[in-house]
Amino acid sequence: MGLSIVCSCGEICFAAGSYSGFHLWRTMLAKRLGFDLEEYWMRDGQPKTDFEPLLMHSDCDGYLTPKECKRMIRPMEELIRKCEEELENPWTRILMSQEQLDDLKWFLSKCYLWLQAFRHSAKEKCRLMFT
C-alpha cells in the first residue's frame, strides 16, 4: 500500500511512495522551508507558505486543485534549483555523509515528479487526486 497521485484527466500518475515515505518527504520539504512539519500542523499551517495545500493535505484522499498546483510551481522550481546546486557543490560531498547525499537525491527525485504534476494540472486544469 502506498500513495499514488493521479490527475483527473488520467495523463499523470505517479507513486508518491508509501504513506510513511510521503510523510518523510513532506518532513524534508518543511525542513528545507525552515520549519518542523509536526509543529506546522499544530500551529494550523503557520507560517504561511505556498506549499501549504500540500503540507496540510491528507495523505490518503482528496485532491489538489489546478489553482493550488499553479501556486506551487515557482517555489518548487526554486527548491529544485537549490537542491541541484547543493548536489553539484564539491563541499557537499565532503560535509555530508553518503546517507545524507542519498536522502537528498531521493527527495529531489520526488520533487521532480511533483513539479511535473503541478505543471500538468495548471496547464490542463485538472485536479491531482490522492489515491
Side-chain angles (χ1 to χ4, degrees), residues 3-70:
L3 176 63
S4 293
I5 304 300
V6 181
C7 71
S8 56
C9 74
E11 289 185 34
I12 295 281
C13 178
F14 71 92
S18 63
Y19 295 114
S20 61
F22 178 59
H23 177 74
L24 175 61
W25 182 81
R26 288 198 296 184
T27 300
M28 292 173 77
L29 175 60
K31 185 175 181 182
R32 291 216 159 249
L33 297 173
F35 51 85
D36 179 83
L37 183 62
E38 304 289 335
E39 290 177 14
Y40 182 77
W41 288 341
M42 286 187 282
R43 290 189 306 245
D44 199 28
Q46 297 295 326
K48 292 297 180 193
T49 170
D50 289 325
F51 290 109
E52 181 182 356
L54 185 58
L55 293 171
M56 294 298 288
H57 202 283
S58 165
D59 65 358
C60 63
D61 63 2
Y63 59 86
L64 295 171
T65 67
K67 184 178 179 181
E68 291 170 327
C69 291
K70 183 176 183 176

